[in-house]
Amino acid sequence: MVSDKVSIHGAWASRWVFILAATGSAVGLGNIWKFPYMTGMYGGGAFVIMYLVCIFLVGLPIMLAETLIGRRGRQSPVHSLGALALESGASPRWSWAALMGMVAALLILSFYSVIAGWSLDYIIAMGDGQFAGISAEGAGAAFGALTADPWRLALWHTLFMLLTGFVIARGVVAGLERSLRIMMPLLFILLLVLLGYSMTTGHFMQGFHFLFDFQPDRLLEGVLAALGHAFFTLSVGVGSIMAYGAYMPRRASIGSTVLAVGILDTLVALTAGLALFPIVFAAGMEPGAGPGLMFVTLPVAFGNIAFGQVMGTLFFVLVLVAAWTSSISMLEPAVAYLVERTQRRRRLVTSALVLLCWLVGMGTVLSFNVGAEAKFFVFAADGFHLFQWGAEGGRNFFDSIDYLTSRILLPLGGLAFVLFAGWVLRREAVREELAIDNPLLFGLVYWLIRVVAPLGIVVVFVAELMK
Ligand code: TRP
């Protein structure tokens, strides 16, 4: 029987709000910043194809697993997993996977906030006309000046953490649902305005071909990156979606809902690419710039074409909104867990966690400047060092947290969630929650959850570690 439990934190008004929330979580810096530059680096269409394959074979099955575990458990991820494990006669230690995910989400939030904070700086600089007519060197220098200044970075990081905490503190309905109902339509409108604008640049088809022309010889080049990105862009592997699933109405079909989220997320990534590359080409720049695409190449592009100042400002507002609707989903699992566990007020718990993430995020702030030489995980000639100042190789604080989360914790979390849904929960329970009527289609989806997704994760996990 479909469970009739309800969450103590509240419930979404409809399945539509779950779609808004999960899409808000999924659409973020990953779509607007990472996806376009990775496509630029890994050869356009070849990367796009691998990315789509990974989304459908691995990413969406994990999202299904998370949503159905959350809705059946009706509690924070840690408690949902624990309760369902007991119900199914399995070890309650399965909840450790969600605990690990929860910590990973907080770690991701700590650096995500720093990068999202840059968009605040850029909204002001763009709106103020500081990029008008700027050269590539000028934009590079402006970006360098921002990252070199720990005080400026700390200011924006602080502000962004406060924005995130503000929404979460007000609760599932008054905070999350209400702000998502405003921010998500805004996000889509901004994206469409930018797309319309890029169609007027006269370079639209050039951008289109870049994104979709297929070079078969480059197909395998980006496969590892594509899978890692599929995790990140769908927000799976840490319990964000699981936490949102707990607030989902009982009757909604999880299968079609999750498919809608996956399609929307992909559409936004492709649209962002279609909107941005023509603008880059119109300014006579190269799209393969790597991570600097958003903060160096684009400002130059916007600074040198008609209406660039207005459009550039709108673009960074879009980035801010997208990042904001993602960051709240990183905080929710931990807030829900601590509220359940300590019975304290949501506001108090949120404040404590915001402070914690803020502190860890200061490590990322310093990695771009005074702390750039603080290296972790150093493999040197004289052996392994956990920490060494100024070591050759090794990773600074930001790179270490990024590596630890996206290469290790996300895949492990995702693996645990699909295995739990596929092998611990009863087949009947999964069938009921997914509500896929066609037996053939259900069989296919169940097989993706049980076999294909776990194998995909393991293969890529091992390949990544050996790189
Ligand atoms: N999906 C978001 C993006 O594309 C980032 C994100 C939100 C995320 N919640 C997450 C990534 C949880 C990993 C895990 O920017």
Side-chain angles (χ1 to χ4, degrees):
M1 217 191 68
V2 171
S3 145
D4 51 8
K5 280 179 272 183
V6 286
S7 161
I8 61 162
H9 307 286
W12 308 124
S14 66
R15 143 188 135 117
W16 172 238
V17 180
F18 173 84
I19 297 186
L20 281 188
T23 307
S25 170
V27 172
L29 297 174
N31 303 62
I32 304 176
W33 168 55
K34 250 181 157 174
F35 176 78
Y37 90 68
M38 288 177 106
T39 307
M41 271 168 47
Y42 293 109
F47 179 76
V48 173
I49 290 180
M50 287 321 294
Y51 163 82
L52 290 176
V53 169
C54 294
I55 290 276
F56 283 93
L57 293 189
V58 182
L60 286 183
I62 306 175
M63 195 184 260
L64 280 174
E66 287 201 27
T67 313
L68 79 91
I69 294 169
R71 189 172 69 173
R72 234 183 149 68
R74 287 286 187 222
Q75 301 174 61
S76 65
V78 176
H79 289 139
S80 287
L81 218 59
L84 292 181
L86 279 178
E87 244 176 70
S88 319
S91 158
R93 292 205 193 105
W94 274 99
S95 65
W96 292 358
L99 202 64
M100 178 190 82
M102 189 183 100
V103 172
L106 295 176
L107 288 174
I108 294 174
L109 177 57
S110 77
F111 69 76
Y112 201 83
S113 165
V114 176
I115 307 210
W118 298 349
S119 66
L120 288 164
D121 194 278
Y122 272 69
I123 290 172
I124 294 174
M126 216 17 121
D128 193 35
Q130 287 174 26
F131 289 107
I134 202 164
S135 65
E137 294 76 46
F143 183 56
L146 170 64
T147 50
D149 184 347
W151 293 103
R152 225 164 114 201
L153 293 183
L155 169 72
W156 300 125
H157 166 52
T158 309
L159 211 68
F160 188 81
M161 281 306 308
L162 289 176
L163 289 176
T164 305
F166 177 74
V167 172
I168 288 290
R170 300 173 61 96
V172 173
V173 176
L176 288 151
E177 177 164 335
R178 210 167 52 179
S179 49
L180 285 160
R181 280 179 189 273
I182 302 169
M183 291 201 279
M184 293 309 289
L186 180 66
L187 192 152
F188 283 106
I189 292 170
L190 286 172
L191 192 62
L192 290 179
V193 169
L194 278 163
L195 181 68
Y197 170 67
S198 90
M199 288 176 174
T200 67
T201 57
H203 291 258
F204 188 72
M205 284 325 284
Q206 196 179 347
F208 186 89
H209 284 297
F210 176 74
L211 209 52
F212 294 114
D213 280 0
F214 175 48
Q215 299 164 274
D217 51 312
R218 299 193 66 176
L219 203 51
L220 289 181
E221 200 177 304
V223 58
L224 291 185
L227 189 80
H229 187 60
F231 268 86
F232 190 85
T233 191
L234 290 178
S235 310
V236 294
V238 303
S240 287
I241 300 294
M242 202 185 287
Y244 281 0
Y247 314 140
M248 187 170 171
R250 182 148 49 111
R251 296 198 182 287
S253 144
I254 289 181
S256 61
T257 307
V258 162
L259 189 65
V261 175
I263 290 177
L264 280 172
D265 182 67
T266 304
L267 279 181
V268 171
L270 294 177
T271 310
L274 272 182
L276 299 187
F277 287 124
I279 297 173
V280 170
F281 288 126
M285 316 239 346
E286 281 299 317
L293 182 69
M294 188 158 106
F295 295 104
V296 179
T297 311
L298 274 177
V300 179
F302 281 121
N304 291 284
I305 46 179
F307 306 108
Q309 185 171 336
V310 181
M311 290 298 152
T313 310
L314 288 184
F315 170 74
F316 284 104
V317 173
L318 168 73
V319 174
L320 175 68
V321 172
W324 192 359
T325 58
S326 296
S327 64
I328 53 182
S329 74
M330 300 173 195
L331 197 52
E332 180 60 24
V335 169
Y337 170 68
L338 287 181
V339 168
E340 286 165 8
R341 171 124 203 195
T342 66
Q343 314 268 317
R344 305 258 174 209
R345 291 196 359 254
R346 188 175 248 270
R347 287 216 188 126
L348 184 76
V349 169
T350 306
S351 312
L353 286 171
V354 163
L355 189 66
L356 185 74
C357 289
W358 179 84
L359 260 177
V360 179
M362 285 308 289
T364 289
V365 162
L366 299 178
S367 332
F368 291 103
N369 36 70
V370 291
E373 288 305 315
K375 299 289 185 65
F376 300 80
F377 306 111
V378 183
F379 293 93
D382 60 339
F384 174 77
H385 304 268
L386 193 58
F387 176 79
Q388 201 172 36
W389 185 266
E392 286 278 322
R395 296 184 167 83
N396 66 29
F397 188 81
F398 167 52
D399 294 333
S400 306
I401 302 269
D402 183 22
Y403 183 87
L404 176 69
T405 52
S406 60
R407 305 287 172 96
I408 298 175
L409 300 180
L410 286 191
L412 286 182
L415 183 63
F417 299 153
V418 275
L419 288 178
F420 186 83
W423 299 90
V424 176
L425 287 183
R426 280 173 307 112
R427 185 185 172 100
E428 271 323 298
V430 176
R431 188 204 296 278
E432 229 168 61
E433 295 289 340
L434 293 188
I436 300 175
D437 293 330
N438 182 327
L440 223 72
L441 189 60
F442 173 74
L444 174 75
V445 171
Y446 199 43
W447 177 70
L448 285 179
I449 293 180
R450 277 164 75 93
V451 181
V452 177
L455 274 181
I457 299 170
V458 169
V459 167
V460 172
F461 186 62
V462 173
E464 278 278 358
L465 286 185
M466 296 196 316
K467 239 189 359 191

